[in-house]
C-alpha cells in the first residue's frame, strides 16, 4: 500500500518537532510554577492528595495561589517514569505541544480538504518561537490549545459524518479545557456559540433526544465539580486579583484626574473620569496591544523574561508578509476562514480583562493557532500562484526564516539560559541536592526566595503532613520562620544584621546552614576559600556570571 506523501511529510514534522522540544530539556532550570506542578503531581501520586492535604481536588491549592488541576494530574505519569526532574515535569507539555501541531493539520485538512495548506499551517506552528518556547516548559497553555483544537476538530468531524461519538468527544475536550487555564472560561463559550450559530442547520438536523441527553450528561459530569470554583471559589479569587475592575492604578488615576490642579467643575470631571470609562479604555488598550506588531514580531513579552527570548518576537519577522497576505486574501464564504477569523478576533478578549493583559504572552497564547493558519494561508496562496515573482518572494522570505531560526536557536540555547538565570531559579537544584545527609538540623534562609518547594522537590521529600509556610514568630530561639519537621527550619528573619555571628551563637555540631550571598553573607566572601571558624564549607554555588548565589556550611 502506497503511503500518501503528505502523511510522510507530517510524520517527519512530528518527529522533528518532538526532537527539537526534548533536545537539551535541562537547558533551563525549573522555575517556581514548574516545581509546584511537579511536586503537586508527586504528592498526588504518592498520597492521593495535593501537598496541602486535599483529596483528589478539582482545584488545587498551592502555597501562593490555587490553580486549575488538569496539567498536574496529567503530569503524574511523567513524574512516575522520570521522577522529579526537568524531563519528568516537562514531558507532558512537550507531548501536548506536539499534539497541537498534529491537530492544526487535522483541523485545517478537515475544513479545507487541502493537505498542502494543512501541512504548511502545522509547520508554521512548529517553527514559531512562541510555540517552541512554551512547549519546553510546564505552562498550562500548551495543554489548553490542544484541548480546544481537539474539541473544534471533533465537532466538525461530527458535522461531516453525523456520528455521535465525535459529538461526545468534542464536548468532553471543550469541558476539560476549563480545567487548564482561566482564559478558557471566556474563549471556549464564545467559540462554542459561534460554531453553534454558524452551523445551526446541521445541529437542528442531526441532534436527536438521545444525543442531547448524553451530551448534557457529559457536560454536567465534567463541569459541575469545577463550576463553583469558577464562579465563587478559587478560580474566581484568582481572576479577582488580576482583573482590570480591581486594579488600584485605575482608581488612583481617576482620583488624580478629578483632583489635579487642571481639573474643572467636579461634576463635569465625573462624566469623563469614572470607572466604566476607565475600564473600557483599559480593555481597548489591552485588546489592541495584543495585535501590536512589535509585541508579536519584534520583542515579545518584555514584562516577563520567562515568557520570551529577548530581542526576538513571538513570531519570526519573515512570517509577517505571509500573515498579511493570508488575512487579506480571505474568502469568508469558506467555513475554515470564518472560524479562524473569529478565533483571531476573540482570542484577546479574556486577557484584555486582566491587568497588563495586552502584552502577556501566556494569556495570549490562545491566539497562536489562528495566526499560524493565516501565515500558512499566505504561504499557500503564494505557492499556488503561477507568477514567478510569488515563487521568488517565498524563496527569499523562507531563506530569511531559516536564518532567523538558526539565530533564535543560538540565542535560546547559548545566551538565554545565562542571561535569564535569575528568573529560572538557577542553582536551587545544586543547593538542595548537596545538603549533607548527616545533618542534625538544617537551617535554610528565605532571605532571597521562599525555598520550601525547591527543597522538598529536589530532596524528593515525602511529607506526612500538609505543607505550610506561614511565618511563626520565634520558631526556634528568637528566629522567625517556619519548620518542615523537627530538624528542618526555614528562616525568614535572623534578627541580626550579622547573620554569621547569629548562626555561630545558635549552631550545634552537624547543624547545616544554607545562606545566600548579599542577603546573608556580605560582599563576595567565599567561604570555601575563607571558611568560618569551626564550620566546614560544604559547597559554594555560583551563578553563570561567576557571582556567588549561595553557600552551604556545617558546624564541626
Amino acid at each position: 500500500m502506497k503511503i500518501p506523501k503528505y502523511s510522510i511529510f507530517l510524520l517527519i514534522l512530528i518527529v522533528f518537532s518532538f526532537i527539537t522540544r526534548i533536545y537539551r530539556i535541562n537547558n533551563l532550570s525549573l522555575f517556581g510554577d514548574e516545581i509546584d506542578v511537579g511536586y503537586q503531581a508527586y504528592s498526588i501520586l504518592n498520597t492521593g492528595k495535593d501537598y496541602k492535604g486535599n483529596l483528589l481536588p478539582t482545584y488545587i491549592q498551592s502555597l501562593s495561589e490555587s490553580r486549575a488541576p488538569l496539567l498536574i494530574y496529567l503530569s503524574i505519569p511523567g513524574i512516575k517514569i522520570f521522577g522529579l526532574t526537568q524531563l519528568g515535569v516537562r514531558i507532558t507539555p512537550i507531548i501536548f505541544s506536539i499534539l497541537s501541531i498534529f491537530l492544526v493539520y487535522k483541523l485545517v485538512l478537515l475544513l479545507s480538504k487541502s493537505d498542502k495548506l494543512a501541512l504548511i499551517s502545522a509547520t508554521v506552528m512548529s517553527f514559531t518561537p512562541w510555540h517552541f518556547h512554551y512547549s519546553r516548559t510546564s505552562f498550562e497553555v500548551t495543554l489548553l490549545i490542544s484541548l480546544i483544537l481537539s474539541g473544534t476538530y471533533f465537532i466538525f468531524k461530527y458535522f461531516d459524518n453525523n456520528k455521535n461519538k465525535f459529538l461526545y468527544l468534542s464536548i468532553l475536550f471543550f469541558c476539560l479545557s476549563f480545567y487548564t487555564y482561566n482564559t478558557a472560561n471566556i474563549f471556549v463559550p464564545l467559540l462554542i456559540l459561534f460554531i453553534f450559530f454558524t452551523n445551526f442547520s446541521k445541529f437542528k438536523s442531526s441532534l436527536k433526544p438521545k444525543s442531547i441527553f448524553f451530551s448534557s450528561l457529559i457536560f454536567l459530569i465534567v463541569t459541575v465539580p469545577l463550576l463553583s470554583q469558577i464562579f465563587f471559589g478559587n478560580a474566581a479569587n484568582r481572576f479577582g486579583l488580576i482583573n482590570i475592575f480591581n486594579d488600584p492604578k485605575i482608581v488612583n488615576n481617576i482620583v488624580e484626574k478629578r483632583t489635579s490642579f487642571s481639573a474643572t467643575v467636579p461634576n463635569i470631571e465625573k462624566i469623563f473620569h469614572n470607572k466604566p470609562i476607565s475600564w473600557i479604555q483599559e480593555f481597548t488598550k489591552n485588546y489592541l496591544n495584543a495585535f501590536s506588531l512589535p509585541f508579536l514580531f519584534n520583542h515579545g513579552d518584555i514584562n516577563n523574561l520567562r515568557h520570551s527570548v529577548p530581542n526576538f518576537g513571538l513570531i519570526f519577522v519573515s512570517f509577517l508578509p505571509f500573515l498579511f497576505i493570508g488575512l487579506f486574501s480571505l474568502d469568508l464564504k469558506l467555513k475554515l476562514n470564518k472560524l479562524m477569523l473569529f478565533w483571531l478576533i476573540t482570542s484577546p478578549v479574556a486577557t484584555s480583562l486582566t491587568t497588563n493583559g495586552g502584552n502577556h504572552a501566556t494569556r495570549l497564547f490562545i491566539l497562536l493557532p489562528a495566526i499560524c493558519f493565516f501565515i500558512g494561508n499566505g504561504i499557500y496562496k503564494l505557492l499556488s500562484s503561477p507568477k514567478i515573482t510569488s515563487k521568488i518572494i517565498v524563496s527569499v522570505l523562507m531563506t530569511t526564516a531559516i536564518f532567523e531560526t538558526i539565530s533564535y536557536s543560538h540565542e535560546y540555547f547559548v545566551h538565554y539560559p545565562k542571561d535569564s538565570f535569575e528568573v529560572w531559579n538557577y542553582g536551587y537544584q545544586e543547593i538542595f541536592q548537596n545538603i549533607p545527609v548527616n545533618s542534625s538540623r538544617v537551617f535554610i534562609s528565605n532571605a532571597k526566595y521562599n525555598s520550601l518547594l525547591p527543597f522538598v522537590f529536589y530532596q524528593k521529600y515525602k511529607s506526612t503532613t500538609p505543607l505550610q509556610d506561614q511565618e511563626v514568630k520565634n520558631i526556634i530561639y528568637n528566629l522567625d520562620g517556619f519548620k518542615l519537621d523537627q530538624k528542618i527550619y526555614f528562616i525568614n528573619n535572623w534578627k541580626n544584621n550579622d547573620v554569621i555571628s547569629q548562626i555561630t551563637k545558635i549552631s550545634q555540631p552537624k547543624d547545616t546552614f544554607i545562606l545566600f550571598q548579599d542577603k546573608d553573607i556580605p560582599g563576595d566572601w567565599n567561604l570555601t576559600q575563607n571558611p568560618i571558624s569551626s564550620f566546614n564549607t560544604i559547597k559554594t554555588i555560583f551563578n553563570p556570571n561567576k557571582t556567588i548565589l549561595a553557600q552551604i556550611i556545617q558546624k564541626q
Side-chain angles (χ1 to χ4, degrees):
M1 183 178 70
K2 186 178 180 181
I3 302 174
K5 66 175 182 178
Y6 284 106
S7 297
I8 297 173
F9 291 148
L10 177 63
L11 179 61
I12 293 171
L13 177 64
I14 295 300
V15 172
F16 171 82
S17 300
F18 180 78
I19 291 172
T20 57
R21 267 59 177 180
I22 206 166
Y23 171 70
R24 290 175 61 184
I25 196 62
N26 297 344
N27 191 48
L28 298 171
S29 303
L30 295 170
F31 77 99
D33 284 357
E34 291 183 291
I35 289 174
D36 188 83
V37 168
Y39 196 71
Q40 289 282 23
Y42 181 72
S43 178
I44 294 172
L45 172 65
N46 288 291
T47 68
K49 301 176 182 179
D50 66 19
Y51 63 64
K52 298 294 284 186
N54 303 301
L55 180 64
L56 297 176
T58 56
Y59 222 78
I60 291 180
Q61 186 179 356
S62 297
L63 292 178
S64 58
E65 62 180 10
S66 295
R67 56 194 307 163
L70 190 56
L71 176 62
I72 291 170
Y73 282 114
L74 292 176
S75 296
I76 291 175
I79 297 298
K80 176 68 174 177
I81 297 169
F82 301 107
L84 290 172
T85 62
Q86 278 104 321
L87 181 59
V89 173
R90 291 170 174 166
I91 189 63
T92 299
I94 289 173
I95 291 171
F96 278 96
S97 73
I98 303 306
L99 179 61
S100 68
I101 295 170
F102 175 74
L103 287 166
V104 164
Y105 174 85
K106 294 294 287 184
L107 178 61
V108 174
L109 176 62
L110 177 66
L111 296 181
S112 69
K113 310 303 179 186
S114 169
D115 287 286
K116 188 175 182 180
L117 175 58
L119 185 64
I120 293 172
S121 300
T123 303
V124 169
M125 175 170 273
S126 176
F127 279 84
T128 300
W130 204 352
H131 188 272
F132 175 82
H133 186 86
Y134 276 84
S135 64
R136 290 173 55 89
T137 51
S138 192
F139 286 98
E140 292 92 342
V141 287
T142 49
L143 172 58
L144 170 63
I145 65 166
S146 294
L147 292 172
I148 296 175
L149 286 167
S150 297
T152 307
Y153 170 75
F154 282 116
I155 193 63
F156 282 103
K157 191 74 173 174
Y158 168 69
F159 294 151
D160 254 17
N161 55 33
N162 202 27
K163 291 184 178 180
N164 286 336
K165 65 178 181 179
F166 295 122
L167 174 64
Y168 302 151
L169 283 171
S170 175
I171 293 170
L172 175 63
F173 287 123
F174 277 136
C175 291
L176 286 175
S177 70
F178 297 127
Y179 287 84
T180 58
Y181 197 67
N182 284 340
T183 51
N185 300 340
I186 292 176
F187 177 76
V188 171
L190 290 175
L191 179 63
I192 292 172
L193 287 173
F194 173 81
I195 294 172
F196 177 78
F197 285 113
T198 55
N199 297 272
F200 181 75
S201 59
K202 292 184 178 180
F203 274 113
K204 188 176 180 180
S205 61
S206 60
L207 284 178
K208 301 295 187 291
K210 178 183 176 181
S211 59
I212 293 174
F213 171 78
F214 283 108
S215 298
S216 302
L217 186 62
I218 293 169
F219 173 79
L220 291 173
I221 290 173
V222 178
T223 61
V224 164
L226 188 65
L227 288 176
S228 61
Q229 297 287 348
I230 292 176
F231 292 107
F232 310 108
N234 291 318
N237 294 338
R238 170 63 178 163
F239 179 70
L241 293 174
I242 62 174
N243 72 72
I244 59 176
F245 308 110
N246 292 332
D247 187 357
K249 292 181 181 178
I250 291 178
V251 176
N252 293 338
N253 185 59
I254 293 171
V255 172
E256 182 180 345
K257 286 291 185 181
R258 288 183 181 183
T259 59
S260 70
F261 71 92
S262 61
T264 58
V265 179
N267 287 336
I268 294 178
E269 294 297 330
K270 291 180 180 179
I271 296 174
F272 300 105
H273 305 292
N274 54 66
K275 287 183 178 179
I277 287 179
S278 297
W279 291 334
I280 292 171
Q281 291 173 338
E282 190 69 13
F283 175 88
T284 304
K285 181 188 75 174
N286 284 337
Y287 184 85
L288 295 176
N289 282 344
F291 298 106
S292 161
L293 295 184
F295 166 66
L296 292 173
F297 292 92
N298 180 254
H299 56 65
D301 190 338
I302 58 176
N303 296 317
N304 192 324
L305 195 55
R306 278 196 300 267
H307 292 173
S308 59
V309 174
N311 302 317
F312 281 87
L314 302 170
I315 305 165
F316 289 135
V317 176
S318 52
F319 286 164
L320 181 58
F322 296 131
L323 176 62
F324 284 135
I325 293 170
L327 276 169
F328 293 124
S329 62
L330 277 184
D331 180 0
L332 289 179
K333 294 179 181 178
L334 302 177
K335 56 185 175 182
L336 175 60
N337 293 345
K338 287 191 289 187
L339 172 70
M340 286 301 171
L341 185 61
F342 179 84
W343 193 306
L344 185 76
I345 292 170
T346 55
S347 292
V349 171
T351 188
S352 297
L353 294 170
T354 64
T355 305
N356 299 320
N359 291 138
H360 197 288
T362 307
R363 298 175 198 164
L364 285 166
F365 191 73
I366 205 169
L367 261 173
L368 189 57
I371 291 178
C372 290
F373 165 73
F374 288 119
I375 293 171
N377 189 47
I379 298 172
Y380 176 76
K381 294 290 184 184
L382 287 176
L383 289 175
S384 301
S385 172
K387 296 180 180 178
I388 188 65
T389 53
S390 298
K391 305 295 190 296
I392 294 173
I393 291 171
V394 172
S395 298
V396 170
L397 290 177
M398 294 313 297
T399 301
T400 307
I402 291 171
F403 175 78
E404 284 187 284
T405 301
I406 296 171
S407 179
Y408 175 83
S409 300
H410 172 76
E411 188 72 22
Y412 181 88
F413 288 108
V414 177
H415 294 283
Y416 180 63
K418 298 175 183 177
D419 294 340
S420 64
F421 70 89
E422 288 186 293
V423 301
W424 290 99
N425 290 10
Y426 177 88
Y428 283 85
Q429 180 175 359
E430 188 177 0
I431 292 170
F432 294 118
Q433 289 182 347
N434 280 283
I435 297 174
V437 294
N438 66 344
S439 302
S440 58
R441 296 181 299 179
V442 178
F443 293 84
I444 302 168
S445 172
N446 272 343
K448 183 178 177 68
Y449 180 80
N450 186 342
S451 298
L452 175 57
L453 279 179
F455 173 84
V456 295
F457 183 94
Y458 291 117
Q459 283 280 309
K460 299 177 175 60
Y461 184 89
K462 292 185 179 180
S463 180
T464 56
T465 58
L467 294 187
Q468 301 291 341
D469 65 345
Q470 287 80 16
E471 182 175 274
V472 177
K473 299 296 182 183
N474 303 319
I475 186 72
I476 185 169
Y477 306 116
N478 66 333
L479 307 178
D480 298 341
F482 54 91
K483 63 181 180 180
L484 188 58
D485 56 31
Q486 295 306 315
K487 60 175 286 187
I488 302 169
Y489 296 88
F490 295 82
I491 306 304
N492 297 340
N493 188 351
W494 293 97
K495 299 287 185 69
N496 192 328
N497 291 330
D498 187 350
V499 175
I500 303 301
S501 174
Q502 178 76 309
I503 67 173
T504 302
K505 294 177 184 177
I506 67 173
S507 59
Q508 299 174 6
K510 298 302 179 182
D511 278 352
T512 297
F513 295 84
I514 290 128
L515 305 173
F516 288 89
Q517 208 71 14
D518 293 333
K519 302 291 185 180
D520 306 310
I521 303 172
D524 57 356
W525 184 3
N526 188 326
L527 299 181
T528 299
Q529 297 173 353
N530 299 293
I532 304 168
S533 177
S534 74
F535 281 85
N536 294 323
T537 302
I538 306 299
K539 186 80 173 180
T540 298
I541 295 93
F542 290 89
N543 291 311
N545 60 5
K546 306 305 181 184
T547 59
I548 298 174
L549 169 63
Q551 307 197 56
I552 306 171
I553 61 175
Q554 187 178 60
K555 180 72 172 180
Q556 294 175 355

